[in-house]
Amino acid sequence: MFRSPATIALVLTALTAAADGKAGEPKAGAVPWSAAKDSGWKELEPGLELREEELDWKRQEADQAALVNLRIAAVRLDAKLFALRVVMNPVKDGRNLADVAKAEKAVAASNGAYFGTKDEPVTLLVSGGKALTRLNKNLPRGGVFTLDEKGRAAVVPVADFKSPRDGLDFVVQNSPLLVAGGKVIFKDPQPARHRRTAIGVDADGRTVLAVCGSAVTLDEWAAVLTSRADGGLGLTSALNLDGGPSTGLAVEHEKAKVDVPAGRIIPQVLAILRREKPLPAER
Amino acid sequence: MNSRQRVEAALNHHRPDRVPLDLGATPVSGMQVSSVYALRQALGLDRPGTPVKVVEPYQMLGEIAPDLAARLGVDTVNLPGRTNMFGFANEGWKPWRTFDGTPVLVPAGFNTEPDASGDILMYPAGDRSAPASGRMPKGGFYFDSIVRQPPVDEDRLDPRDNLEDFAPLSDLDLAHCERESRRLRDESDRAIVGSVPGTAFGDIALVPGPWMRRPKGIRDVEEWYVSLAARPDYIRAVFEGQCAIALRNLEAYRQAVGDRISVIFMCGTDLGTQNGPFMSAETYRELHKPFHKRLNDWVHAHTKWKTFKHSCGSILPLIPELVEAGFDILNPVQCSAAGMDAAELKRRFGAEVTFWGGGVDTQRTLPFGRPEEVRAQVRERIATFGPGGGFVFNPIHNVQAGTPVANLLAMYETVRES
């Protein structure tokens, strides 16, 4: 999709600002958006938080300037109290994300990684310590999100990932890897605006699953994910998941409901479940 | 905002000053000539008996002349190709009369004759020495293709036979497109919708080749659909060849019309019936999607154009595939088909595609409802599809013959008030 040089300049400004920002130092005014609404991180219960926000983003398309409203929802979890699981969801069953969340007694469910023409998974998925698929070495600019048995989260490039090994409780592979070391490391060669989903880790090691129900480029999305400015999610690492019509998030919690509907039935759903027993704190 | 800015704002999912209106910018968003005649009469644009030009003889669509467009506030205009669906040019106009008695003008190549039952036969490229390729049933309003399918010999099927339809655009075609695009841009501030032949894969209106004198290959509608399952390699080979030609034509067309057009009509292949899709998502992914994506990606990489996809029917499971294939615009948004709820479509896909259509139901409300029912539905659809841009008003597909003029006026007045 076409984007004007003026818009590129705005995004570059945002990216530069994000990259230059120091941890904990919001740089208000340095980004092309302002937070029209922001719930902040609301605790639904210990170890589980929800944030919903709307960003007003200044865009320039051809000869017209416009203010676009972007809707973002994110779930932040402490993996010692909550687990991530892959739920196989046959398309013929017709269950949407909220249906899956309710059936699995999950507090939230989202779309996950890319899948193939027959809805089969095409990237590495590990759930409950069990490898469901193999690492896809042909996925360019790929990354892997992992949670180990101690609840420690990480995002690493595929090249640095050693095939499924003991000690990993959950893995999802996808591409591109957007953020590493608190900086945007991806520049989209052919930007197009779509709905987006990402999974990442914040400065305190907590896992964040975020969706943008509005259409943004990957560059714009990476800027929001990493920025510490008003409305940014402040992730230090983040992996892009499947987007477009796949993007979806359902939060099914006694204290909050969120429904960002996916445009299709998602064949492999990421579900957030309470752990029966919290993982022990590390010494 | 002028009309072009209004349309482009909507296409970029920005909020325009009002909902943009299309009438006649594509062969699937026009009006049957009898209705155009009645509308012009009601608006006092013509004296009684003044004929209206038939600019698309297959569906008998009437010309949306600049005076009518201005009166209704239409924001779009069509950049037509040099020849029409029956393969002759829209020139050398001559009088004709439809079955319902409407006086019209048809091109010189519009050479018809009745058969024994009173049906009207149409000939490819106006050539009566060739087998007829279209039939308007007695008392009807438009033509159906006549299938001229020789018996299929599996051993001699050759994909090249189904590629005869697709050829590089001629210098004559390109000169026409360049000249007309300049004229339209100079004479109007409306957003121009262009098209390139051959960018639709498996469009069942085109498969019988109504403009071809003696088409070969698979030309029967039923046989074509059977082939999607039974001869996928044949279909894929046809699409491969077609795609290569279409890419060359897109480049030549871009050089001819540049950014004077805002939208390119890419594909009219219907994927749905009233109650469900023609094919599974898997079949679409494997057969059609790679080629659609290749063409849409080319357009997005080389132009500012937005890509237009038409498909009638209930296609909810296929819309995600169309979005991923890179189509920017969906038409006609048949909300009257199973599962095509307007609010749900906007909620799920409104961030990524522009709905170009869906403004009012042309199966029931517009032809058979009362004006207040038309107004109510138009208001409701604008309220549903309009917020945040991503909506160009058009009824669901072409306005049919016999639609009450009071309903047409109610529709356009309500859009203008939006």
Side-chain angles (χ1 to χ4, degrees), chain A residues 1-2 61 63-64 66 68 115-119 190 194-195 213-215 244-246 259 261-264, chain B residues 1 5 8-9 12-14 282 285-286 289 297 300-301 303-304 306 320-321 323-324 328 347-349 351-352:
Chain A
M1 198 172 292
F2 171 78
E61 302 275 3
D63 60 345
Q64 297 181 53
V68 181
F115 48 87
T117 56
K118 298 180 191 305
D119 297 315
Q190 194 174 333
H194 291 290
R195 290 150 45 107
S214 313
S246 293
D259 181 19
R264 54 160 54 107
Chain B
M1 276 184 177
Q5 290 169 329
E8 290 183 352
N12 284 318
H13 297 264
H14 302 162
E282 185 181 330
R285 287 171 187 165
E286 291 185 345
K289 191 174 179 179
D297 283 353
H300 293 143
T303 77
K304 299 176 184 177
K306 301 294 185 190
E321 311 304 325
V323 173
E324 289 176 348
D328 301 306
R347 214 163 74 93
R348 288 204 209 176
F349 307 109
E352 294 179 280

Side-chain angles (χ1 to χ4, degrees), chain A residues 123-181:
Chain A
T123 67
L124 173 64
L125 297 171
V126 174
S127 184
K130 182 181 173 192
L132 306 177
T133 47
R134 291 182 177 180
L135 189 72
N136 183 339
K137 293 180 179 170
N138 299 318
L139 204 59
R141 303 181 298 275
V144 179
F145 171 89
T146 63
L147 275 175
D148 69 14
E149 288 176 336
K150 295 180 178 176
R152 293 177 299 201
V155 180
V156 295
V158 167
D160 297 347
F161 180 78
K162 295 194 174 69
S163 281
R165 56 188 189 275
D166 291 345
L168 289 182
D169 181 58
F170 173 85
V171 177
V172 58
Q173 176 198 7
N174 215 62
S175 81
L177 186 55
L178 295 173
V179 180

Side-chain angles (χ1 to χ4, degrees), chain A residues 76-79 145 147 151-154 200-208 236:
Chain A
R76 187 160 74 181
L77 58 109
D78 177 348
F145 171 89
L147 275 175
R152 293 177 299 201
V201 183
D202 72 5
D204 295 322
R206 291 169 295 195
T207 296
V208 174
T236 54

Side-chain angles (χ1 to χ4, degrees), chain A residues 57-264:
Chain A
W57 193 300
K58 292 173 201 160
R59 279 185 185 155
Q60 182 77 27
E61 302 275 3
D63 60 345
Q64 297 181 53
L67 198 61
V68 181
N69 185 253
L70 307 182
R71 296 179 177 217
I72 293 166
V75 176
R76 187 160 74 181
L77 58 109
D78 177 348
K80 294 194 185 314
L81 299 172
F82 287 85
L84 271 164
R85 292 289 178 262
V86 176
V87 177
M88 294 301 181
N89 184 41
V91 171
K92 64 180 171 52
D93 293 350
R95 295 191 305 171
N96 63 29
L97 292 170
D99 295 335
V100 173
K102 287 173 195 161
E104 301 292 327
K105 294 185 169 52
V107 293
S110 81
N111 70 301
Y114 301 140
F115 48 87
T117 56
K118 298 180 191 305
D119 297 315
E120 76 282 11
V122 294
T123 67
L124 173 64
L125 297 171
V126 174
S127 184
K130 182 181 173 192
L132 306 177
T133 47
R134 291 182 177 180
L135 189 72
N136 183 339
K137 293 180 179 170
N138 299 318
L139 204 59
R141 303 181 298 275
V144 179
F145 171 89
T146 63
L147 275 175
D148 69 14
E149 288 176 336
K150 295 180 178 176
R152 293 177 299 201
V155 180
V156 295
V158 167
D160 297 347
F161 180 78
K162 295 194 174 69
S163 281
R165 56 188 189 275
D166 291 345
L168 289 182
D169 181 58
F170 173 85
V171 177
V172 58
Q173 176 198 7
N174 215 62
S175 81
L177 186 55
L178 295 173
V179 180
K183 293 185 178 176
V184 175
I185 60 165
F186 176 78
K187 179 79 185 132
D188 197 344
Q190 194 174 333
R193 290 204 168 95
H194 291 290
R195 290 150 45 107
R196 304 290 179 188
T197 306
I199 192 166
V201 183
D202 72 5
D204 295 322
R206 291 169 295 195
T207 296
V208 174
L209 186 60
V211 299
C212 183
S214 313
V216 291
T217 65
L218 280 172
D219 298 334
E220 291 169 340
W221 183 221
V224 173
L225 292 172
T226 194
S227 174
R228 292 178 170 273
D230 190 23
L233 295 177
L235 301 186
T236 54
S237 59
L239 175 66
N240 181 59
L241 296 178
D242 196 7
S246 293
T247 282
L249 173 70
V251 174
E252 287 290 326
H253 192 274
E254 308 85 80
K255 289 188 179 173
K257 305 273 184 209
V258 173
D259 181 19
V260 179
R264 54 160 54 107

